[in-house]
Amino acid sequence: MTENSEQDDKTQSHIILSKGMMVSHYRMVEKIGAGGMGEVYLVEDTKLNRKVALKFLPSHLSQNEDAKARFTREAQAAAKLKHPNIVTIYEVSEYKGRPFFAMEHIEGDSLRDLIKDQKLGFDDIIKLSLQICEGLQEAHGADIVHRDIKPSNIILDKNGRPKLADFGLVAIAGGEQLTQTGSTLGTIGYMSPEQIQVDKVDQRSDLFSFGVILYEMIAGRLPFKGDTEAATMNAVLNDTPEPLSRFKSGVSGELQRIVSKLLDKDIETRYQTAAGVISDLKQILKETDPNQISKPAISATKRYNKFLIPVLIVIIAVAILIFKPWKFEISPRQEAIAQENRLAIMYFDNLADPEDSLKLGEITANLLITDLSESEYVQVVSSQRLYDILKQLGHEGEKNISRNIATQVAKKANAKSMLLGSILNMEPEIILTAQIIDVESGDAIASQRIEGQPGDRIFPLVDKLTVEIKNDLSLPAQALSEEDPEISELTTSSVEAYRYLLEGMEYQQKLYSDDAEECYRKALTYDSTFAMAYLALLIHTEGDERDTILYKMNLYSGKASSLEKLYIKAFDAYYREDYPDYENYIKYLTEIIEKYPEEKIAKSILGDYYNENKRDTEKAKSHYWEVIQLDPLFGPVYNRLAYIYNSQYKYDSAIWAINKYIEVADPDEANPYDTRADLYAYNGKLEQAIESYEKALEIKPDFYASRLKLGYLYLFNKEYDKAEIFYRQLCSDSNAFRRSLGRMLLSYIPIYQGKFTEALKLLDDAMAADRIEQGDYAGADLRFIKANIYEARKEWKMALKEAERAIKDYSDAHPDDWIYFRHEYILPLSWDKDFAKAQKEAEIFKKDIEKNDSSTIWAYWYAVGHIEFAKGNYEQSVVCYEKAAKDVTHFQVHYMLGRAYLMSGRLGESVTQLEKTINRFDVGRVGVITMAVKIYYYLGLAYEESGWDARAIEQYETFLDIWKNADPGIEEVEDARARLARLKGGS
């Protein structure tokens, strides 16, 4: 190379960028900005016919390798982020030695301009702050720290939405340090103390900088400012900002607290995450105007078979036992009398056992509530309502409640009087004492003492105490002559059965299903006529046993309270032998809600119905928020909201909800962490999901759901040895179904690696083991998996054969609901080009769905989409797949929609669809495991067709790495290798 040619090479990056010049497929329009780390140009994307912005590294830095590395890192980090409050990066490339990236062009002003105009009211400030924090939360969730949060780096689009821009000083947590000794990154005045001191920074540094912005939006000035840079740095390190109220009237104490916590110089006592700031800001907005907050701002749910009842429904048995507000068939005059005699019954102190280890005090209070609730003249506050209030007051789980606390509880429950009691169990005698107290004055109205005879149990004593209380409440004469059934006629007559039911429901609320089922079955050994124990056991049974349980629940329903009988009718409709009678199910639930205003469980169940069965998430959310109004500390509802928000792609709201669940849950609950892991998995945060599942198992090592899903994620993370350990543990489980499941899951490991021959042998071994154990626990599933393998190998006849046998196996084992898997038969028919038969099966499928359960109509559209795709009618297949994808998040539906877009030439939509789907690591991805790998190949195709070669190379390499040891002859593998070689400059 000559001296001149070397000089020419060095000056390539100094080329002048002028209007009309083409840079790749971008036509230059004008320069719109410049800064220390970049020059920004408005350009026209000629491929996609849109305006975008190109950011170039300044010419004088293009020969500086450190600067180029830092600039590239900015682009790579920002390109990972896809959020409405972050400027989107489309492409990273280079032009004649000058690195650049293409990004979303925002037509709007910066937050700096808005602050200068001083037109921000408190609502505007809070709403802007919420969105800025939501953008930060997204970045921090990807382990990206901005390092230069300031008003000029926040752009407002035409709708006023703030977007974080210029990750020019970004550092990736755990990666190579970008600073040099003695240097700082950031903007003086917005920098955190640790930035000034050149300490290691993390997401909390961004939160400090955001606190400076929030202070400035309110006060119109910076909290830390000096005449020189050194003076400003000293103020950041040492000064306390003046109170906001000195600069703006109306600043609440809570808002001042939030700002002060953001600006805490101690990083350990500052806000630790953006989620905490979001939660507190939303509370301010809600208190200012509850309608402003979008409560806040799944489908993913824990439901593993067609008839597995939603999680909140299974809490109902205990709720029925203790949610007894009042008898509802009363006249207006009786209702007025009942309201006047509203009574709050506290837990009875167990004098011989202060910890109430056998729940005798709790049971006594519950039985008394049940007995008095049958009166038309007394309104009894439910035990659950009192428990909720105790929890809100910070006294959750306390058995011995002081008189002062009891009074606070009763007042919040709007009770006129309260009953404090104690039980002394001195075998063979039991003594009950109680005192009725006027809540307002604190005066004692009456006292009762009931002594049992030797050998008496608690039930007759409760009956006697009920009569004494009614006499002492100054009720009208007719109240004393009303029918008063004995408590043993309204529930079980066994204290042991009652206790096991309560313990079972405590386990069930935590989703500890095995422990709960054991308790329910123990309850029935003590009382085989206990209707509510049968109801609680329904979820744990299936087939003939469930029919028996349902029959006995109805048979013994006479021994139940008025409220319990309504619930039994509702669940009888839901679990009817053929198909659910949703009309009556909803009828009885609605009747309960109308007559029992404090019945939060019925509202929760109704929310589940609209969420699970009607796919009406907005109506579901309205019911869940009604529950929260009754009990803001009811964790399971936040759990359901988290899944709904996630299904609506509102990730920040989903994380808010699950963090709220963790906040209000018991420390020994594993399920909140399991759900949070689900959310991480659904949003492509694989490592965080694994960590959260491991946290759930740390709390409860045998938590089945987390064990199962953690095994899946180890598989996706290519930690095959760890996945195998989990699956082999299942193979040796004491439960026959789980042993069968473990054997099936072992085949997933070679399937994921493209080792189909090995997987088929494992599946045959699993079938043989099932036969030896005289069970066919997973027979149909095993054959569906084999059909999936044959489809991947394009052996359509074999795939069809296995699908036919799977359908037969399933219909034999589950004659009532096998139709829901008919689409698994239609798919191989389509690939085998038997379109006439496939279409006929699809029409039968549609009629069955419309007749029995319209919520599964997605499966019909998915099947018809396959028929059209196999015919080559790609535009029509898009229409069908879009209808299927509208209401479900199932991996295979969205995967096929992305492929259909690709085959239709709709590249932008294909890329978006496949990108969104590829980052979803949910349980459904496991069920279609060959698709879970092939998606990398098809995304590579979409990128390549779009001209994004670097991204295409990345996807092909990922695909080929997973299937590096795959069976020979797989068409996609051979094509990916050829394309990769061509893109990298091979032949």
Side-chain angles (χ1 to χ4, degrees):
M1 179 181 290
T2 66
E3 183 178 342
N4 286 340
S5 63
E6 184 177 348
Q7 181 64 29
D8 288 342
D9 183 63
K10 286 183 178 180
T11 58
Q12 282 188 81
S13 59
H14 293 276
I15 189 166
I16 297 174
L17 299 171
S18 58
K19 183 176 182 180
M21 178 183 292
M22 292 297 297
V23 174
S24 183
H25 56 281
Y26 302 105
R27 181 177 291 112
M28 308 298 291
V29 177
E30 62 178 329
K31 187 174 182 179
I32 56 176
M37 279 298 292
E39 297 172 351
V40 184
Y41 292 81
L42 177 64
V43 302
E44 179 186 353
D45 183 342
T46 59
K47 274 193 175 182
L48 299 177
N49 192 25
R50 63 181 176 182
K51 288 184 178 180
V52 301
L54 296 191
K55 182 172 183 181
F56 287 84
L57 187 66
S59 298
H60 67 282
L61 294 176
S62 293
Q63 299 304 315
N64 183 313
E65 291 305 318
D66 288 340
K68 288 178 72 172
R70 194 164 131 200
F71 183 89
T72 301
R73 188 165 311 200
E74 166 193 353
Q76 291 173 340
K80 294 179 181 179
L81 305 174
K82 299 186 186 305
H83 189 274
N85 297 116
I86 296 177
V87 173
T88 302
I89 302 297
Y90 298 132
E91 179 183 6
V92 183
S93 189
E94 188 171 296
Y95 178 68
K96 294 189 176 182
R98 235 180 132 180
F100 75 86
F101 61 81
M103 62 184 177
E104 178 184 8
H105 172 56
I106 310 296
E107 296 181 359
D109 296 326
S110 71
L111 183 60
R112 163 63 58 218
D113 300 317
L114 196 62
I115 292 174
K116 283 181 179 178
D117 290 342
Q118 296 183 339
K119 294 179 180 179
L120 289 171
F122 281 118
D123 280 354
D124 295 325
I125 291 170
I126 300 301
K127 290 175 185 176
L128 284 169
S129 298
L130 276 170
Q131 294 182 73
I132 295 168
C133 278
E134 285 166 355
L136 284 175
Q137 186 180 32
E138 179 70 15
H140 296 164
D143 290 335
I144 295 173
V145 184
H146 190 291
R147 288 183 176 241
D148 195 21
I149 299 296
K150 58 186 178 183
S152 58
N153 276 342
I154 299 169
I155 312 299
L156 304 174
D157 67 14
K158 61 184 179 181
N159 297 316
R161 179 192 290 117
K163 289 178 175 278
L164 288 167
D166 197 2
F167 280 75
L169 300 174
V170 75
I172 302 174
E176 179 186 350
Q177 293 299 311
L178 298 182
T179 58
Q180 296 178 353
T181 305
S183 67
T184 60
L185 293 178
T187 301
I188 302 299
Y190 296 93
M191 292 166 60
S192 65
E194 54 271 20
Q195 280 180 289
I196 290 174
Q197 294 171 325
V198 201
D199 286 341
K200 182 179 179 181
V201 303
D202 58 23
Q203 62 193 36
R204 294 170 291 183
S205 180
D206 282 351
L207 296 180
F208 184 96
S209 300
F210 166 70
V212 176
I213 293 175
L214 181 52
Y215 187 102
E216 188 178 11
M217 284 195 289
I218 297 168
R221 53 166 286 169
L222 287 169
F224 310 107
K225 192 166 180 61
D227 295 333
T228 64
E229 283 192 359
T232 300
M233 287 183 176
N234 181 67
V236 172
L237 293 173
N238 300 302
D239 291 356
T240 300
E242 295 187 62
L244 288 164
S245 57
R246 292 189 180 180
F247 307 105
K248 193 178 183 76
S249 60
V251 177
S252 68
E254 178 63 10
L255 183 55
Q256 177 66 64
R257 184 194 69 80
I258 292 171
V259 174
S260 297
K261 188 171 182 179
L262 283 164
L263 296 178
D264 197 318
K265 300 182 194 307
D266 186 343
I267 197 169
E268 297 300 329
T269 52
R270 193 183 304 158
Y271 276 104
Q272 301 297 292
T273 65
V277 188
I278 291 169
S279 178
D280 288 349
L281 288 173
K282 283 181 175 177
Q283 188 60 38
I284 287 184
L285 192 60
K286 185 176 180 181
E287 289 172 356
T288 305
D289 182 357
N291 294 321
Q292 294 278 9
I293 190 165
S294 59
K295 304 183 181 179
I298 45 209
S299 53
T301 58
K302 291 186 176 80
R303 195 168 78 162
Y304 299 109
N305 73 53
K306 171 70 178 60
F307 289 106
L308 182 57
I309 197 166
V311 62
L312 283 176
I313 296 182
V314 302
I315 302 170
I316 194 63
V318 71
I320 294 167
L321 284 167
I322 60 179
F323 277 38
K324 311 276 196 278
W326 59 86
K327 188 176 177 68
F328 58 83
E329 296 172 352
I330 56 178
S331 68
R333 179 172 175 274
Q334 291 168 326
E335 184 176 6
I337 295 172
Q339 179 67 45
E340 180 65 21
N341 288 285
R342 185 168 168 84
L343 176 66
I345 300 175
M346 306 298 170
Y347 282 164
F348 274 51
D349 290 341
N350 190 333
L351 300 179
D353 178 15
E355 295 300 317
D356 201 27
S357 57
L358 296 180
K359 298 183 181 293
L360 194 57
E362 181 180 350
I363 290 171
T364 301
N366 288 339
L367 291 175
L368 187 58
I369 290 172
T370 299
D371 208 0
L372 279 169
S373 293
E374 293 300 300
S375 173
E376 298 177 349
Y377 299 91
V378 182
Q379 189 182 96
V380 185
V381 180
S382 74
S383 180
Q384 182 63 55
R385 178 66 180 141
L386 299 177
Y387 174 85
D388 293 343
I389 295 171
L390 270 172
K391 191 172 183 180
Q392 293 171 36
L393 293 174
H395 296 278
E396 177 184 7
E398 293 184 10
K399 303 299 183 182
N400 300 310
I401 303 169
S402 69
R403 173 102 170 237
N404 178 50
I405 297 300
T407 301
Q408 292 181 50
V409 172
K411 285 182 176 179
K412 287 183 73 70
N414 296 317
K416 183 176 183 295
S417 52
M418 62 181 180
L419 185 141
L420 304 178
S422 64
I423 180 170
L424 180 59
N425 185 14
M426 300 176 61
E427 295 289 353
E429 296 181 352
I430 300 176
I431 300 174
L432 297 181
T433 59
Q435 190 175 48
I436 302 174
I437 299 168
D438 182 88
V439 173
E440 190 61 35
S441 66
D443 296 336
I445 298 173
S447 299
Q448 300 84 26
R449 178 183 172 90
I450 306 295
E451 295 187 24
Q453 298 300 314
D456 271 355
R457 307 208 73 188
I458 192 64
F459 297 92
L461 276 67
V462 169
D463 287 325
K464 293 177 183 177
L465 184 56
T466 299
V467 173
E468 293 289 335
I469 291 171
K470 289 172 70 174
N471 285 332
D472 291 334
L473 283 175
S474 303
L475 302 177
Q478 56 268 40
L480 303 180
S481 61
E482 68 179 338
E483 182 180 355
D484 186 13
E486 294 183 358
I487 187 62
S488 58
E489 297 174 17
L490 300 173
T491 185
T492 179
S493 56
S494 165
V495 171
E496 290 80 6
Y498 205 116
R499 180 185 305 120
Y500 276 118
L501 180 64
L502 292 178
E503 289 180 0
M505 294 316 302
E506 289 174 2
Y507 284 128
Q508 191 69 64
Q509 185 161 336
K510 298 174 182 178
L511 291 190
Y512 296 171
S513 297
D514 291 347
D515 299 317
E517 180 183 356
E518 182 181 357
C519 287
Y520 302 149
R521 294 190 185 278
K522 283 183 178 178
L524 289 170
T525 63
Y526 284 97
D527 182 0
S528 61
T529 68
F530 194 2
M532 299 316 298
Y534 286 115
L535 186 151
L537 192 57
L538 276 174
I539 186 175
H540 301 280
T541 57
E542 59 181 16
D544 292 340
E545 184 184 13
R546 177 175 286 174
D547 292 341
T548 300
I549 297 296
L550 193 65
Y551 168 76
K552 290 186 177 181
M553 178 188 74
N554 285 299
L555 178 65
Y556 301 120
S557 62
K559 285 181 57 178
S561 68
S562 302
L563 177 58
E564 290 170 347
K565 288 173 181 174
L566 276 177
Y567 273 116
I568 287 173
K569 289 178 181 178
F571 281 82
D572 179 56
Y574 188 91
Y575 280 114
R576 53 181 296 192
E577 290 185 9
D578 41 13
Y579 296 104
D581 177 3
Y582 290 125
E583 184 177 347
N584 275 317
Y585 179 61
I586 298 307
K587 170 189 170 185
Y588 291 122
L589 288 176
T590 302
E591 186 174 355
I592 291 169
I593 291 171
E594 289 174 351
K595 304 298 182 180
Y596 294 76
E598 293 179 356
E599 189 61 27
K600 71 180 183 185
I601 292 295
K603 295 177 187 290
S604 300
I605 296 173
L606 203 54
D608 286 346
Y609 168 76
Y610 284 110
N611 182 29
E612 298 285 338
N613 299 96
K614 302 298 286 184
R615 309 287 181 188
D616 187 343
T617 54
E618 292 308 311
K619 189 169 284 189
K621 283 195 294 187
S622 71
H623 284 290
Y624 294 147
W625 279 95
E626 286 179 18
V627 174
I628 290 173
Q629 294 302 314
L630 284 171
D631 177 15
L633 303 181
F634 189 44
V637 175
Y638 293 109
N639 192 56
R640 304 302 280 179
L641 283 171
Y643 283 120
I644 287 180
Y645 286 130
N646 186 70
S647 72
Q648 297 173 331
Y649 303 103
K650 297 179 179 178
Y651 174 69
D652 293 333
S653 295
I655 291 297
W656 169 85
I658 195 56
N659 285 340
K660 195 69 178 176
Y661 184 18
I662 290 172
E663 178 186 325
V664 303
D666 291 337
D668 66 339
E669 281 194 59
N671 187 57
Y673 295 96
D674 180 84
T675 297
R676 188 169 69 178
D678 286 350
L679 299 179
Y680 286 144
Y682 299 153
N683 290 277
K685 302 180 186 302
L686 193 56
E687 295 297 335
Q688 290 164 281
I690 289 173
E691 182 181 350
S692 201
Y693 284 134
E694 289 175 341
K695 173 67 175 177
L697 291 175
E698 179 185 326
I699 294 172
K700 187 168 177 59
D702 62 345
F703 193 55
Y704 177 64
S706 288
R707 287 179 61 201
L708 196 62
K709 289 179 282 191
L710 185 56
Y712 297 154
L713 291 203
Y714 283 144
L715 180 64
F716 294 141
N717 211 34
K718 295 183 286 188
E719 298 180 69
Y720 303 123
D721 291 343
K722 288 185 178 180
E724 184 175 352
I725 289 171
F726 272 81
Y727 298 156
R728 291 204 179 279
Q729 287 174 348
L730 281 174
C731 291
S732 58
D733 197 279
S734 60
N735 180 282
F737 172 79
R738 291 182 184 175
R739 289 197 300 275
S740 177
L741 178 63
R743 293 189 289 265
M744 180 181 76
L745 293 177
L746 281 174
S747 72
Y748 283 15
I749 299 174
I751 294 174
Y752 193 71
Q753 299 174 81
K755 300 176 182 179
F756 298 145
T757 302
E758 179 184 337
L760 288 169
K761 184 181 183 305
L762 285 173
L763 290 167
D764 287 337
D765 291 345
M767 289 181 180
D770 276 355
R771 288 193 293 271
I772 290 172
E773 293 192 1
Q774 297 183 338
D776 191 15
Y777 303 103
D781 291 329
L782 293 168
R783 294 199 182 279
F784 280 133
I785 295 168
K786 291 181 75 172
N788 185 252
I789 291 174
Y790 287 125
E791 285 177 15
R793 290 176 18 168
K794 295 182 172 53
E795 297 177 23
W796 311 126
K797 296 294 184 187
M798 289 298 295
L800 185 57
K801 178 182 176 182
E802 292 297 340
E804 286 174 336
R805 295 182 66 178
I807 290 292
K808 183 180 185 306
D809 289 348
Y810 204 91
S811 62
D812 289 344
H814 306 278
D816 294 336
D817 61 337
W818 73 272
I819 64 164
Y820 297 104
F821 296 91
R822 192 189 294 269
H823 66 285
E824 299 283 2
Y825 176 51
I826 297 171
L827 306 191
L829 278 174
S830 304
W831 296 131
D832 197 39
K833 309 297 184 183
D834 192 347
F835 298 128
K837 189 170 183 179
Q839 193 65 51
K840 181 180 178 181
E841 289 290 330
E843 293 311 310
I844 296 172
F845 189 27
K846 183 181 182 183
K847 289 178 182 177
D848 284 338
I849 289 173
E850 290 173 342
K851 174 184 176 183
N852 300 307
D853 187 359
S854 60
S855 70
T856 57
I857 194 65
W858 70 268
Y860 163 76
W861 289 114
Y862 178 60
V864 175
H866 259 68
I867 296 172
E868 297 299 333
F869 191 96
K871 286 180 178 179
N873 299 334
Y874 300 119
E875 283 292 351
Q876 189 57 39
S877 73
V878 164
V879 172
C880 296
Y881 288 137
E882 284 180 337
K883 289 181 179 179
K886 180 168 63 74
D887 294 323
V888 297
T889 57
H890 302 324
F891 182 90
Q892 67 268 35
V893 175
H894 292 267
Y895 163 85
M896 286 305 301
L897 178 57
R899 283 190 60 187
Y901 282 140
L902 177 62
M903 296 303 293
S904 302
R906 296 161 65 170
L907 297 179
E909 289 165 288
S910 178
V911 165
T912 300
Q913 183 67 31
L914 292 173
E915 281 182 340
K916 182 173 66 176
T917 307
I918 207 168
N919 288 321
R920 189 176 177 87
F921 295 96
D922 63 350
V923 174
R925 187 181 182 125
V926 179
V928 285
I929 201 161
T930 56
M931 293 181 181
V933 181
K934 285 185 179 182
I935 191 171
Y936 296 102
Y937 166 73
Y938 286 109
L939 182 55
L941 288 182
Y943 281 146
E944 185 179 356
E945 291 294 318
S946 301
W948 293 337
D949 293 351
R951 292 187 182 186
I953 288 171
E954 182 182 359
Q955 296 305 316
Y956 291 144
E957 287 179 337
T958 301
F959 170 65
L960 291 172
D961 179 60
I962 298 173
W963 277 8
K964 60 189 174 187
N965 297 315
D967 291 350
I970 297 177
E971 181 180 308
E972 291 86 354
V973 172
E974 294 174 355
D975 186 58
R977 284 173 180 158
R979 290 175 179 275
L980 186 60
R982 186 169 62 252
L983 289 172
K984 285 188 166 185
S987 58

